[in-house]
Amino acid sequence: MSGLVVTGWGTAVPSRVVTNAELSATLDTSDEWIVERTGIKERRVGSTTSALAIEAGRAALDVAGLTGSDIDLVILATTTGDRIVPATSPTVQDALGISGGAMDLNAACSGFVYGLVTASGLLATGLSRILLIGAETLSKITDWTDRSNAILFGDGAGALVLEATEGPGDLLGWDLGSDGSATNILRCEHGSTIEMDGKEVFRRAVRVMVESSNLALERAGVSIDDIDLVVPHQANLRIIQAACQRLGVSEERAAVVIDRYGNTSSASIPLALVDSLESGRVSSGDLLLLTGFGAGMTWASAVLRWAR
Ligand code: UT7
């Protein structure tokens, strides 16, 4: 059996910044309300999911010192593909010259961690290198006239290069979950925009992040005190704070980029992770807890040792 190591990382965001002040010009809201209730100050808007995914993927390949022809599979976690059919990952595969396969994965905001676990299984059974990307253009399914939704979402992408290694590797434990009876609390029908019962999503989100994180920690054989950095899905700063409190970890140990990017669904965990890597917050040997929740509902957590 082979394990997994991370050898490359990258991100991409559109250049257009939409501030809370800009939203307040057309919506009955304010910078003060948005910051206090969500922690969001601005978000990026624009581009396409494939273009962001290609840029983030190329950056990750560069860090790994690889080209597309070295990659056996691209997994693109997204809820906002360029179209319904075909998937968006073949566009990424073609642009990056990837020689292997391509698949989209939709587990909403848990998608990146679902992709990490999927990649781990495929690397264990024979693939050598996988490019895992989370990319979204939520702006195209956001109702910009609805203040309860428009303030939350943004566009962006993050990517990791994952390689097989002899032995157990660096994914130490994980948990995946789903509860399809909660489909109606957060959804987007074809041709429509996101509809959400924000309060109910909030309530469930904290609970499932904590339960799922604890399962991943237990399976990894570590405790929350061993975790150097929590990399949570960036949906609301208050959700991150509540989850940290219930997990028994200081919120200082959580990676937070929601102030700059808002909620970017599948892209939020890699955007937060890569931001921490690039700002020197992560050292070799650190243990990271990645945890997310999203529409479905779905949830996913993983304990990753940072070996670089
Ligand atoms: O990836 C997962 C995706 N989604 C989430 O994680 C969302 C989770 N939920 C949340 O983040 C929060 O529930 C929201 C940020 C969506 C809303 O915050 P809240 O503290 O739960 O506010 P609320 O819905 O209880 O609304 C409180 C008040 C209401 O007014 P009344 O009824 O008290 O008069 C809303 O109409 O705030 C009003 N309101 C706003 N006011 C100013 C709602 N949105 C806004 C706004 N600006 N943008």
Side-chain angles (χ1 to χ4, degrees):
M1 287 286 274
S2 306
L4 156 168
V5 285
V6 179
T7 60
W9 50 90
T11 61
V13 289
S15 54
R16 167 123 163 74
V17 177
V18 175
T19 63
N20 291 346
E22 187 174 346
L23 291 180
S24 306
T26 52
L27 292 170
D28 182 14
T29 188
S30 65
D31 177 52
E32 195 186 6
W33 193 96
I34 301 169
V35 172
E36 191 185 307
R37 299 293 182 112
T38 70
I40 299 167
K41 294 179 181 159
E42 58 189 40
R43 68 288 293 144
R44 301 298 184 101
V45 170
S47 193
T48 62
T49 294
S50 59
L52 292 169
I54 290 163
E55 191 183 334
R58 188 172 282 128
L61 289 173
D62 285 349
V63 170
L66 299 172
T67 65
S69 61
D70 299 313
I71 299 292
D72 299 322
L73 175 70
V74 56
I75 300 176
L76 175 60
T78 189
T79 60
T80 49
D82 289 0
R83 58 193 88 75
I84 294 170
V85 171
T88 305
S89 47
T91 307
V92 179
Q93 170 269 315
D94 182 47
L96 295 178
I98 288 168
S99 49
M103 63 186 271
D104 284 15
L105 188 160
N106 180 349
C109 309
S110 317
F112 195 80
V113 180
Y114 263 80
L116 181 68
V117 175
T118 303
S120 161
L122 291 166
L123 292 170
T125 53
L127 295 191
S128 297
R129 297 188 188 101
I130 293 176
L131 179 62
L132 171 64
I133 308 173
E136 301 281 3
T137 41
L138 293 176
S139 60
K140 70 188 177 199
I141 56 165
T142 298
D143 177 353
W144 290 97
T145 66
D146 174 359
R147 68 176 181 175
S148 59
N149 276 323
I151 59 157
L152 295 173
F153 300 112
D155 303 334
L160 295 179
V161 174
L162 308 169
E163 300 195 41
T165 186
E166 291 278 314
D170 294 332
L171 180 61
L172 306 185
W174 50 268
D175 174 62
L176 302 180
S178 171
D179 177 5
S181 72
T183 297
N184 284 344
I185 66 171
L186 177 51
R187 63 183 183 154
C188 178
E189 299 296 331
H190 286 302
S192 188
T193 50
I194 300 169
E195 290 170 40
M196 177 174 71
D197 177 348
K199 274 204 176 315
E200 184 60 15
V201 174
F202 194 120
R203 202 178 61 77
R204 289 173 181 249
V206 176
R207 180 165 51 81
V208 298
M209 276 169 98
V210 171
E211 286 174 3
S212 176
S213 293
N214 282 328
L215 280 171
L217 290 166
E218 191 184 317
R219 289 168 188 162
V222 300
S223 88
I224 190 69
D225 296 333
D226 299 317
I227 295 297
D228 298 287
L229 185 72
V230 181
V231 187
H233 169 47
Q234 312 278 308
N236 185 320
L237 184 59
R238 291 189 294 135
I239 293 178
I240 295 173
Q241 289 167 334
C244 284
Q245 193 190 13
R246 290 189 201 180
L247 276 168
V249 61
S250 157
E251 64 179 87
E252 317 278 290
R253 272 198 274 156
V256 173
V257 294
I258 192 170
D259 51 327
R260 283 175 276 155
Y261 301 133
N263 180 348
T264 56
S265 192
S266 308
S268 90
I269 286 179
L271 278 172
L273 172 61
V274 176
D275 183 77
S276 296
L277 297 175
E278 291 181 344
S279 61
R281 252 186 110 176
V282 182
S283 308
S284 184
D286 278 1
L287 289 188
L288 314 180
L289 170 64
L290 279 49
T291 182
F293 67 92
M297 286 189 79
T298 60
W299 53 89
S301 302
V303 177
L304 193 62
R305 180 174 43 219
W306 194 256
R308 297 279 294 186

